[in-house]
Amino acid sequence: MQEIKIDISKTLNFVSENDINELKTKVFAFQNILQSKTGAGNDFLGWLDLPSSTSKDDLSRINKTAQQLSSIADYVVIVGIGGSYLGARAVIDALSDTFCNLKTVRKNPIILYAGQNISEDYTFELLDFLKDKSFAVVVISKSGTTTEPAIAFRLLKELLEKNYSRDEAKKRIIAITDASKGALRTLSNREGYETYIIPDDVGGRFSVLTPVGLLPIVIAGIDIEKLIEGATWMENRLKSENYDDNPAALYAAIRNILYKEERKIEILVNYHPKLHSIAEWWKQLYGESEGKSFKGIFPAAVDFTTDLHSMGQWIQEGERTIFETVLSVEKPKYSVEIPFDKDNLDQLNFLAGKRIDEVNKKAELGTQIAHIDGAVPNIRISIPELNEFYLGQLIYFFEKACGISGYMLGVNPFDQPGVEAYKKNMFALLGKP
Ligand code: PA5
C-alpha cells in the first residue's frame, strides 16, 4: 500500500535530530490528549473518527442526492464561506480536469461558487450568467446566519423561484446546516428543502469529510467512497506512537521546533496548479486553528514554478523567518513529451524526448537546493499520485497534525473567537437592529 510520506531531512541543517527526539514524549502526550478527547476544545473533535464512522448508507444517500441534482441541473452553485466551501473546492480542483468547465461534452454539472465574498460585481455577473441556465444550489452554513452566504442564497433562491415554480425551485435547493439552530435551518424546515446536518462536534474547517464537502465533491463526479477509504487508512495509521509511522506527529513536532527558532511563516508550496485550492483549505485550517493568543505560524502559500517568477526573490533572499513545506506529486496522470524541433531556435532540443514532469521535478529539486542554500528549511510531503485515496490520506494527515500542533503551541485549536471582530463592526456600521 502506498501512502503520503514526509521527509524532514532538509530541515536538519536548522534543527537538531536531538531536538526532534527530545520532543517525542511531548508530541505523543498531546496526541493522546487529542485522541482521548480530554484537551481544550474537546467538544469539537467529531472529525477525529469521522472517516471510520461514515457508513455506506451515509455515502449512498449523498450519492443519490448528487445524481438527482445532476439529472436536472447543468450548473450547481455551492454557496458557503470558509470551512463551508474550502474543503470541497480543494478536492474538486485537485481531482478535476483543469478545463472541464470549458468542455461541451460533460458527465457532471459545472460547479460554481457563491457566498464567499460580498462583491456586487461578482454577484451581478453570476446572476446574469445563470438567469437563462438550468441550475441548482447547495447552500452550506453551520451557523446558518453567516452574512456572505445568506446574501448570495437570498438572491439565488429568488432567481430560482422566478424561473421555476416554487415546488420546482425547492427540488433544486439542498441545505447543509445545523440540526436545529440558525436561520437556514428555520428556512429549510419552512420551505421543505432536502437537508443534511453538520454534526455539532465538527467545526467548519474540519468538515470536509461531512456532507459539507462530500456532497459538492460527488456532484463534481469524484468518488467519495475512495476519499473516505484513504482518510480511514490515515486515521488508523496516525494512532501510532512512533514518528516513523506517524507523519502527522513528526510534522507537528518539526514545525513547532522551527517556530521556536523564529521561523514564523510556513509557506506551502505546490508544483501543480490543481493543488492551489488545497493550499487555500490548508491556510484556513492552520491559520484559524493556531493564530490566537498572539501566537501561531502564519500560513502562506505559493504555486511553483509560477510564483518563482514573482515570490522567488523574497523566498531566496528576504528576511529569514520562513520555512517551506512542499507538496510533491510523484506520478502525474498523463504523459506529455517535449518534441524535437529541427530548427531548435528556442534551443530546447536538449530536452527533446523528456517528459514535462521530468523538467518539473528538476525545477523542484533545483529550487529545494537553492532555498536550502538560502537558509530556508524544507519539509517535503510526497503524494504518490492525485487520486481520491491519497487526497483522503492528505486531508486527515493535515487535520490530525493541526490538532497536535495547536496543543503543542498552547492554544485551543478548535475555536475561532477572532473571526467575530469584523462582523461586530460591520453590523454596527450597517445599523443592524
Ligand atoms: O471554520 C470555521 O468555523 C469558519 O471558517 C466557518 O466555516 C465560516 O465562518 C462559515 O461559517 P458557517 O458555516 O457558520 O456559515
Side-chain angles (χ1 to χ4, degrees):
M1 175 68 67
Q2 290 200 77
E3 61 191 280
I4 65 154
K5 290 200 175 107
I6 183 166
D7 177 1
I8 58 149
S9 60
K10 302 295 185 296
T11 61
L12 297 178
N13 285 354
F14 308 93
V15 300
S16 77
E17 260 180 280
N18 216 15
D19 286 348
I20 303 170
N21 287 331
E22 270 178 12
L23 207 58
K24 195 172 165 188
T25 318
K26 196 170 161 194
V27 176
F28 287 105
F30 282 123
Q31 161 156 299
N32 281 333
I33 291 173
L34 185 66
Q35 206 69 53
S36 59
K37 304 190 176 176
T38 50
N42 59 358
D43 43 349
F44 281 100
L45 293 179
W47 57 271
L48 262 177
D49 37 26
L50 202 51
S52 59
S53 60
T54 301
S55 71
K56 288 237 173 308
D57 286 351
D58 296 334
L59 297 179
S60 86
R61 183 186 160 210
I62 294 171
N63 272 312
K64 212 165 132 210
T65 304
Q67 273 163 19
Q68 182 246 322
L69 281 191
S70 304
S71 70
I72 55 172
D74 297 328
Y75 297 85
V76 174
V77 189
I78 309 302
V79 180
I81 195 165
S84 289
Y85 96 107
L86 284 166
R89 188 161 198 170
V91 176
I92 292 170
D93 288 357
L95 297 183
S96 302
D97 182 311
T98 308
F99 302 102
C100 64
N101 288 359
L102 301 175
K103 295 193 171 169
T104 39
V105 181
R106 317 177 35 83
K107 281 207 304 246
N108 308 102
I110 289 180
I111 306 288
L112 300 173
Y113 298 92
Q116 67 297 126
N117 61 63
I118 328 178
S119 160
E120 189 156 350
D121 289 350
Y122 184 97
T123 311
F124 176 89
E125 287 164 9
L126 178 72
L127 295 170
D128 186 54
F129 174 75
L130 287 172
K131 66 179 188 288
D132 52 3
K133 306 285 187 305
S134 166
F135 74 98
V137 173
V138 177
V139 55
I140 308 170
S141 178
K142 183 164 191 217
S143 62
T145 55
T146 308
T147 312
E148 291 88 339
I151 293 174
F153 181 59
R154 180 183 275 217
L155 287 156
L156 288 161
K157 174 176 177 290
E158 185 187 66
L159 181 59
L160 276 175
E161 288 173 356
K162 192 168 139 223
N163 287 359
Y164 303 96
S165 67
R166 192 123 180 236
D167 274 351
E168 177 61 21
K170 262 185 221 172
K171 286 192 206 140
R172 289 171 180 263
I173 296 172
I174 309 289
I176 307 180
T177 190
D178 187 85
S180 55
K181 296 186 300 288
L184 183 56
R185 168 54 60 191
T186 310
L187 182 70
S188 302
N189 290 350
R190 206 191 66 185
E191 299 285 323
Y193 299 148
E194 181 179 356
T195 61
Y196 283 85
I197 292 168
I198 308 177
D200 273 349
D201 57 356
V202 180
R205 60 190 173 277
F206 288 86
S207 69
V208 55
L209 300 176
T210 72
V212 170
L214 296 178
L215 181 61
I217 289 168
V218 81
I219 293 170
I222 293 161
D223 185 339
I224 51 173
E225 276 87 1
K226 291 224 165 63
L227 190 77
I228 292 292
E229 217 180 284
T232 308
W233 189 94
M234 192 53 91
E235 180 188 327
N236 292 327
R237 175 75 156 168
L238 299 184
K239 287 182 181 142
S240 162
E241 300 206 354
N242 185 334
Y243 277 146
D244 290 340
D245 300 319
N246 191 329
L250 188 57
Y251 178 53
I254 195 75
R255 59 198 300 285
N256 274 275
I257 296 173
L258 287 165
Y259 181 63
K260 288 218 168 83
E261 299 289 326
E262 299 301 316
R263 301 289 174 160
K264 305 282 188 194
I265 302 165
E266 177 175 9
I267 304 178
L268 193 73
V269 176
N270 71 73
Y271 283 81
H272 293 272
K274 280 175 192 277
L275 294 179
H276 175 85
S277 300
I278 292 278
E280 294 303 308
W281 168 80
W282 171 89
K283 284 195 308 199
Q284 187 204 3
L285 184 64
Y286 280 79
E288 224 169 70
S289 299
E290 293 191 322
K292 46 199 76 158
S293 309
F294 303 107
K295 295 196 262 193
I297 296 170
F298 183 82
V302 288
D303 300 324
F304 283 171
T305 59
T306 315
D307 293 338
L308 282 171
H309 298 260
S310 55
M311 297 300 291
Q313 171 61 35
W314 198 102
I315 295 171
Q316 191 67 44
E317 295 182 346
E319 193 182 23
R320 300 297 74 180
T321 45
I322 56 172
F323 65 98
E324 276 178 322
T325 298
V326 177
L327 291 179
S328 180
V329 180
E330 300 296 338
K331 196 170 133 226
K333 191 168 171 191
Y334 302 109
S335 169
V336 181
E337 280 184 9
I338 297 168
F340 178 81
D341 182 288
K342 72 177 169 30
D343 297 329
N344 196 28
L345 292 177
D346 54 12
Q347 299 180 3
L348 276 185
N349 274 352
F350 76 104
L351 295 177
K354 286 195 195 302
R355 288 180 57 181
I356 303 266
D357 193 57
E358 192 177 336
V359 182
N360 204 23
K361 290 283 185 328
K362 292 292 183 282
E364 182 185 325
L365 184 57
T367 307
Q368 186 191 52
I369 295 166
H371 288 180
I372 292 163
D373 285 349
V376 181
N378 185 291
I379 300 168
R380 183 169 182 270
I381 294 169
S382 62
I383 307 165
E385 58 189 292
L386 286 183
N387 66 24
E388 287 87 344
F389 185 75
Y390 297 121
L391 273 197
Q393 286 192 5
L394 187 72
I395 287 168
Y396 195 87
F397 156 79
F398 273 135
E399 288 181 346
K400 182 91 185 262
C402 183
I404 302 173
S405 197
Y407 280 162
M408 291 177 74
L409 188 66
V411 299
N412 172 0
F414 307 111
D415 65 1
Q416 54 286 327
V419 179
E420 294 310 310
Y422 96 92
K423 295 182 192 169
K424 243 196 272 161
N425 291 339
M426 176 177 76
F427 290 140
L429 292 165
L430 287 167
K432 186 180 178 184

Short mmCIF file of all heavy atoms in Angstrom, two decimals, residues 78-90 113-116 140 204 207 212 280-281 284:
data_model
loop_
_atom_site.label_atom_id
_atom_site.label_comp_id
_atom_site.label_asym_id
_atom_site.label_seq_id
_atom_site.Cartn_x
_atom_site.Cartn_y
_atom_site.Cartn_z
N ILE A 78 -22.34 26.20 -5.33
CA ILE A 78 -22.05 25.89 -3.93
C ILE A 78 -21.97 27.23 -3.19
O ILE A 78 -21.11 28.06 -3.48
CB ILE A 78 -20.69 25.14 -3.79
CG1 ILE A 78 -20.63 23.92 -4.73
CG2 ILE A 78 -20.41 24.77 -2.34
CD1 ILE A 78 -21.71 22.90 -4.54
N VAL A 79 -22.88 27.42 -2.25
CA VAL A 79 -22.94 28.69 -1.51
C VAL A 79 -22.40 28.45 -0.10
O VAL A 79 -22.99 27.67 0.67
CB VAL A 79 -24.40 29.20 -1.43
CG1 VAL A 79 -24.46 30.52 -0.66
CG2 VAL A 79 -24.99 29.38 -2.83
N GLY A 80 -21.29 29.08 0.22
CA GLY A 80 -20.71 28.90 1.56
C GLY A 80 -19.41 29.66 1.63
O GLY A 80 -18.85 30.09 0.60
N ILE A 81 -18.91 29.83 2.85
CA ILE A 81 -17.65 30.57 3.04
C ILE A 81 -16.79 29.83 4.05
O ILE A 81 -17.30 29.07 4.88
CB ILE A 81 -17.95 32.03 3.49
CG1 ILE A 81 -16.70 32.92 3.35
CG2 ILE A 81 -18.49 32.10 4.92
CD1 ILE A 81 -17.01 34.42 3.43
N GLY A 82 -15.48 30.05 4.01
CA GLY A 82 -14.55 29.43 4.95
C GLY A 82 -14.66 27.92 4.90
O GLY A 82 -14.69 27.31 3.83
N GLY A 83 -14.81 27.32 6.07
CA GLY A 83 -14.88 25.87 6.16
C GLY A 83 -16.10 25.29 5.46
O GLY A 83 -16.17 24.09 5.24
N SER A 84 -17.03 26.12 5.08
CA SER A 84 -18.21 25.61 4.41
C SER A 84 -18.05 25.52 2.89
O SER A 84 -19.01 25.19 2.20
CB SER A 84 -19.44 26.47 4.77
OG SER A 84 -19.78 26.21 6.11
N TYR A 85 -16.86 25.86 2.36
CA TYR A 85 -16.64 25.59 0.92
C TYR A 85 -15.20 25.26 0.57
O TYR A 85 -14.94 24.61 -0.45
CB TYR A 85 -17.14 26.76 0.07
CG TYR A 85 -16.08 27.77 -0.32
CD1 TYR A 85 -15.59 27.84 -1.62
CD2 TYR A 85 -15.57 28.66 0.62
CE1 TYR A 85 -14.62 28.78 -1.98
CE2 TYR A 85 -14.61 29.58 0.27
CZ TYR A 85 -14.13 29.64 -1.03
OH TYR A 85 -13.17 30.55 -1.36
N LEU A 86 -14.23 25.65 1.42
CA LEU A 86 -12.83 25.49 1.01
C LEU A 86 -12.41 24.03 0.83
O LEU A 86 -11.64 23.71 -0.08
CB LEU A 86 -11.90 26.17 2.03
CG LEU A 86 -11.87 27.70 1.93
CD1 LEU A 86 -11.21 28.30 3.17
CD2 LEU A 86 -11.11 28.14 0.68
N GLY A 87 -12.91 23.14 1.68
CA GLY A 87 -12.53 21.73 1.57
C GLY A 87 -13.06 21.11 0.29
O GLY A 87 -12.35 20.39 -0.43
N ALA A 88 -14.34 21.41 -0.01
CA ALA A 88 -14.93 20.88 -1.24
C ALA A 88 -14.15 21.39 -2.45
O ALA A 88 -13.77 20.64 -3.34
CB ALA A 88 -16.39 21.30 -1.34
N ARG A 89 -13.88 22.69 -2.46
CA ARG A 89 -13.17 23.26 -3.61
C ARG A 89 -11.77 22.67 -3.75
O ARG A 89 -11.29 22.44 -4.87
CB ARG A 89 -13.10 24.79 -3.45
CG ARG A 89 -12.55 25.42 -4.69
CD ARG A 89 -12.86 26.88 -4.82
NE ARG A 89 -12.66 27.27 -6.20
CZ ARG A 89 -13.02 28.43 -6.71
NH1 ARG A 89 -13.60 29.32 -5.95
NH2 ARG A 89 -12.79 28.71 -7.97
N ALA A 90 -11.12 22.43 -2.62
CA ALA A 90 -9.77 21.86 -2.65
C ALA A 90 -9.77 20.51 -3.36
O ALA A 90 -8.95 20.25 -4.24
CB ALA A 90 -9.25 21.71 -1.21
N TYR A 113 -19.24 28.80 -7.56
CA TYR A 113 -19.19 29.12 -6.12
C TYR A 113 -19.78 30.50 -5.87
O TYR A 113 -19.59 31.42 -6.66
CB TYR A 113 -17.73 29.08 -5.62
CG TYR A 113 -17.12 27.70 -5.79
CD1 TYR A 113 -16.41 27.37 -6.94
CD2 TYR A 113 -17.28 26.73 -4.80
CE1 TYR A 113 -15.87 26.10 -7.11
CE2 TYR A 113 -16.74 25.45 -4.96
CZ TYR A 113 -16.04 25.15 -6.12
OH TYR A 113 -15.51 23.89 -6.28
N ALA A 114 -20.47 30.64 -4.77
CA ALA A 114 -21.02 31.95 -4.37
C ALA A 114 -21.04 32.02 -2.85
O ALA A 114 -20.91 30.99 -2.18
CB ALA A 114 -22.43 32.11 -4.91
N GLY A 115 -21.17 33.25 -2.35
CA GLY A 115 -21.30 33.41 -0.90
C GLY A 115 -19.97 33.41 -0.18
O GLY A 115 -19.93 33.35 1.05
N GLN A 116 -18.86 33.51 -0.94
CA GLN A 116 -17.58 33.60 -0.24
C GLN A 116 -16.96 34.99 -0.42
O GLN A 116 -15.79 35.21 -0.16
CB GLN A 116 -16.60 32.47 -0.60
CG GLN A 116 -16.05 32.41 -2.01
CD GLN A 116 -17.06 32.21 -3.08
OE1 GLN A 116 -17.12 32.99 -4.00
NE2 GLN A 116 -17.90 31.19 -2.96
N ILE A 140 -24.61 26.02 2.18
CA ILE A 140 -23.94 25.39 3.33
C ILE A 140 -23.58 26.45 4.36
O ILE A 140 -22.84 27.39 4.08
CB ILE A 140 -22.64 24.68 2.87
CG1 ILE A 140 -22.93 23.74 1.69
CG2 ILE A 140 -22.00 23.93 4.04
CD1 ILE A 140 -21.68 23.19 1.01
N GLY A 204 -16.26 24.09 11.26
CA GLY A 204 -16.27 24.32 9.81
C GLY A 204 -15.01 23.86 9.10
O GLY A 204 -15.07 23.12 8.11
N SER A 207 -14.61 20.14 8.41
CA SER A 207 -15.86 19.48 8.00
C SER A 207 -15.85 18.92 6.58
O SER A 207 -16.89 18.49 6.09
CB SER A 207 -17.03 20.47 8.16
OG SER A 207 -16.91 21.51 7.21
N VAL A 212 -20.82 18.51 4.09
CA VAL A 212 -20.34 19.85 3.69
C VAL A 212 -19.38 19.75 2.49
O VAL A 212 -19.48 20.49 1.51
CB VAL A 212 -19.61 20.54 4.87
CG1 VAL A 212 -18.89 21.80 4.43
CG2 VAL A 212 -20.59 20.84 5.98
N GLU A 280 -5.37 26.76 -0.17
CA GLU A 280 -6.36 27.69 0.42
C GLU A 280 -7.04 27.03 1.63
O GLU A 280 -7.27 27.65 2.66
CB GLU A 280 -7.40 28.09 -0.63
CG GLU A 280 -6.84 28.92 -1.77
CD GLU A 280 -6.15 30.18 -1.30
OE1 GLU A 280 -6.76 30.95 -0.54
OE2 GLU A 280 -4.97 30.39 -1.66
N TRP A 281 -7.39 25.75 1.45
CA TRP A 281 -8.02 24.99 2.56
C TRP A 281 -7.05 24.88 3.74
O TRP A 281 -7.42 25.09 4.90
CB TRP A 281 -8.43 23.61 2.03
CG TRP A 281 -8.82 22.63 3.09
CD1 TRP A 281 -10.01 22.55 3.75
CD2 TRP A 281 -8.00 21.58 3.64
NE1 TRP A 281 -9.98 21.51 4.66
CE2 TRP A 281 -8.75 20.90 4.61
CE3 TRP A 281 -6.68 21.14 3.38
CZ2 TRP A 281 -8.25 19.81 5.33
CZ3 TRP A 281 -6.19 20.06 4.10
CH2 TRP A 281 -6.98 19.41 5.07
N GLN A 284 -6.66 28.05 5.85
CA GLN A 284 -7.72 28.25 6.85
C GLN A 284 -7.54 27.30 8.03
O GLN A 284 -7.66 27.69 9.20
CB GLN A 284 -9.12 28.05 6.27
CG GLN A 284 -10.18 28.45 7.30
CD GLN A 284 -11.53 27.80 7.14
OE1 GLN A 284 -11.72 26.96 6.27
NE2 GLN A 284 -12.47 28.17 7.97
#
